[in-house]
Amino acid sequence: MKKGHFAVLMILFAAVLTSGCTTRKTVIIKDRPDPPPLKIEIRPRCPYRRAVWVPGHWKWKRKCRVYVWIPGYWRR
């Protein structure tokens, strides 16, 4: 094998070896599904001045592996 061919072969070999190092794939493992869409709530009348409405939201119950709806409420 000639020196020129050997050099080209070594360059190609090095390129193949390093190409796997430059392309990384990120794998995301989800432990739960996406939550359902938000529910439409009718906000009750404000019970007192300066009360703030906290909207309802889905909460993940890990033990049961389900989402539970937490309704909105008024807070001081």
Side-chain angles (χ1 to χ4, degrees), residues 4-42:
H5 290 118
F6 185 72
V8 170
L9 188 63
M10 290 307 291
I11 291 171
L12 288 174
F13 183 70
V16 168
L17 284 179
T18 59
S19 67
C21 296
T22 58
T23 56
R24 293 185 181 184
K25 293 182 181 178
T26 303
V27 178
I28 299 172
I29 299 172
K30 294 174 74 173
D31 64 338
R32 60 183 169 203
D34 292 334
L38 294 175
K39 290 185 176 184
I40 297 174
E41 294 184 307
I42 298 174

Side-chain angles (χ1 to χ4, degrees), residues 19-76:
S19 67
C21 296
T22 58
T23 56
R24 293 185 181 184
K25 293 182 181 178
T26 303
V27 178
I28 299 172
I29 299 172
K30 294 174 74 173
D31 64 338
R32 60 183 169 203
D34 292 334
L38 294 175
K39 290 185 176 184
I40 297 174
E41 294 184 307
I42 298 174
R43 187 184 315 182
R45 187 174 164 192
C46 182
Y48 44 84
R49 286 184 52 165
R50 297 188 182 185
V52 177
W53 176 252
V54 178
H57 62 278
W58 290 105
K59 182 174 182 174
W60 177 250
K61 293 291 189 177
R62 190 181 322 178
K63 197 173 200 179
C64 302
R65 300 191 55 77
V66 295
Y67 281 99
V68 177
W69 179 254
I70 306 297
Y73 58 93
W74 288 101
R75 185 175 192 162
R76 288 185 187 237

